[in-house]
Amino acid sequence: MKHQFSLAHLTALECAPPELTYLAAQAGYDFVSIRPIYMGLPNEPNYDLANNKAMFKETKQALETTGLKVFDIELARINDEINPTMYEPAFEVAAELGAKHVLSSIWTDHTERGREKFAKLCDVAKPYGLTINLESVPIASVKTLKGAVHVLEDVNKPNAGLMIDAHHFHRAHDRPEEIQSIPKEWLNYFHLCDAQGQIPQDQAEMTRILREERLYIGEGGLPLTEMISYLPDDIVFSLEMPHLQRTKELGTYGYIKQCLESARAFVEQCKKNPLTT
């Protein structure tokens, strides 16, 4: 079967959604994954399409022109300060652009509060036909695959899903065989990237690598063959592979095209020679 790939916005965050869409289509991606939720992080561009009507219109035109689809939007963070209803304008944008999924992560150590807010987020997204996909992040509060599974089991929402990021999975010391026990209906997409095999002990260095220096698929030391072998055959691979130096050297288009070529070749080889049955 033909495997499908989306370009995750973090790979080319310097590009606004319209430009990202045109470049992704030109490079041969099947989807684009955008960040219309502004989080206020250092050096983060503001692509808040709910409030930037001109950029929203340009994004919609880019999608119509290229025939590309938005696969998911991000990032609906859960923390102590937010009210999940604040994300509704972004969900409306996502639905109008044809997206089906939203990425979320939990950043509060108040376990019950985090789960209650995640459940509420699912309720807010449901009228827009969106699934909320929880990502475990080793520098967040829900750090591991097991922790994310517990959240989904506890909230028991029909539009809740699980999104595994290869970098985060490895850094949390999760094991590929754990993927086998996850309900397949939870797995809508997978953040594919590579990175050095040695896990940084310093959190600042780990954060730098995940935002600035992920590697081409097959170039690093992550157990990608094992991970991919346990995933559903029809899963969408979202390429979240930011590498600032390579983007500077190759240009955005050259870099994202190389990302796709490395990913496609690796995934096809994995599926031809699976490690599991």
Side-chain angles (χ1 to χ4, degrees):
M1 64 176 295
K2 180 182 182 292
H3 303 290
Q4 294 185 304
F5 297 87
S6 185
L7 176 61
H9 209 156
L10 189 60
T11 305
L13 196 55
E14 69 277 7
C15 297
E19 182 185 5
L20 188 77
T21 301
Y22 286 118
L23 289 176
Q26 184 182 358
Y29 286 81
D30 303 286
F31 301 99
V32 66
S33 301
I34 63 174
R35 284 195 167 205
I37 299 173
Y38 180 59
M39 295 185 292
L41 299 176
N43 303 314
E44 177 196 8
N46 187 345
Y47 301 135
D48 180 3
L49 298 184
N51 290 301
N52 189 332
K53 301 302 182 184
M55 187 180 290
F56 171 77
K57 184 177 180 181
E58 291 168 3
T59 303
K60 196 169 185 179
Q61 181 60 57
L63 294 166
E64 291 174 356
T65 299
T66 61
L68 217 60
K69 303 292 185 183
V70 176
F71 189 78
D72 69 293
I73 70 162
E74 56 181 72
L75 175 66
R77 283 191 176 203
I78 299 293
N79 58 35
D80 291 323
E81 288 73 38
I82 69 99
N83 182 330
T85 59
M86 68 181 283
Y87 294 121
E88 188 163 7
F91 294 169
E92 186 174 354
V93 162
E96 190 163 348
L97 294 179
K100 299 299 182 185
H101 306 287
V102 178
L103 186 63
S104 181
S105 53
I106 297 177
W107 299 73
T108 172
D109 293 330
H110 296 280
T111 302
E112 287 306 313
R113 185 183 305 166
R115 294 185 182 186
E116 288 172 4
K117 289 189 176 187
F118 183 80
K120 176 63 175 176
L121 190 67
C122 292
D123 291 341
V124 175
K126 189 175 181 180
Y128 298 96
L130 297 167
T131 65
I132 301 295
N133 299 269
L134 181 60
E135 176 183 31
S136 55
V137 183
I139 60 173
S141 299
V142 176
K143 304 175 184 296
T144 65
L145 181 66
K146 185 178 294 185
V149 167
H150 286 163
V151 173
L152 265 63
E153 289 176 338
D154 187 52
V155 302
N156 193 28
K157 293 292 182 178
N159 65 325
L162 184 69
M163 207 293 299
I164 299 172
D165 179 292
H167 172 277
H168 302 338
F169 184 92
H170 179 258
R171 286 355 188 192
H173 300 279
D174 290 326
R175 294 175 289 108
E177 57 267 27
E178 294 179 62
I179 299 173
Q180 192 172 27
S181 62
I182 296 171
K184 299 306 180 187
E185 61 270 19
W186 284 3
L187 296 171
N188 299 299
Y189 60 118
F190 178 86
H191 270 178
L192 183 58
C193 66
D194 212 339
Q196 64 185 50
Q198 184 176 359
I199 300 176
Q201 298 304 304
D202 179 65
Q203 182 170 309
E205 176 62 6
M206 186 184 295
T207 302
R208 185 193 69 79
I209 290 172
L210 74 87
R211 294 189 65 87
E212 300 179 10
E213 201 175 279
R214 302 199 206 186
L215 304 177
Y216 293 130
I217 311 305
E219 180 185 18
L222 304 190
L224 297 177
T225 299
E226 293 87 345
M227 293 185 205
I228 291 171
S229 294
Y230 285 111
L231 294 171
D233 287 337
D234 60 349
I235 199 165
V236 170
F237 294 95
S238 182
L239 304 189
E240 187 169 83
M241 301 167 58
H243 195 298
L244 300 189
Q245 184 58 36
R246 285 175 172 170
T247 298
K248 183 178 180 180
E249 292 171 356
L250 300 174
T252 300
Y253 174 74
Y255 178 61
I256 66 168
K257 188 170 179 61
Q258 184 60 43
C259 288
L260 179 60
E261 289 174 356
S262 74
R264 182 174 282 137
F266 192 92
V267 170
E268 288 178 356
Q269 185 63 33
C270 286
K271 292 301 183 179
K272 285 179 183 177
N273 302 286
L275 296 180
T276 61
T277 56

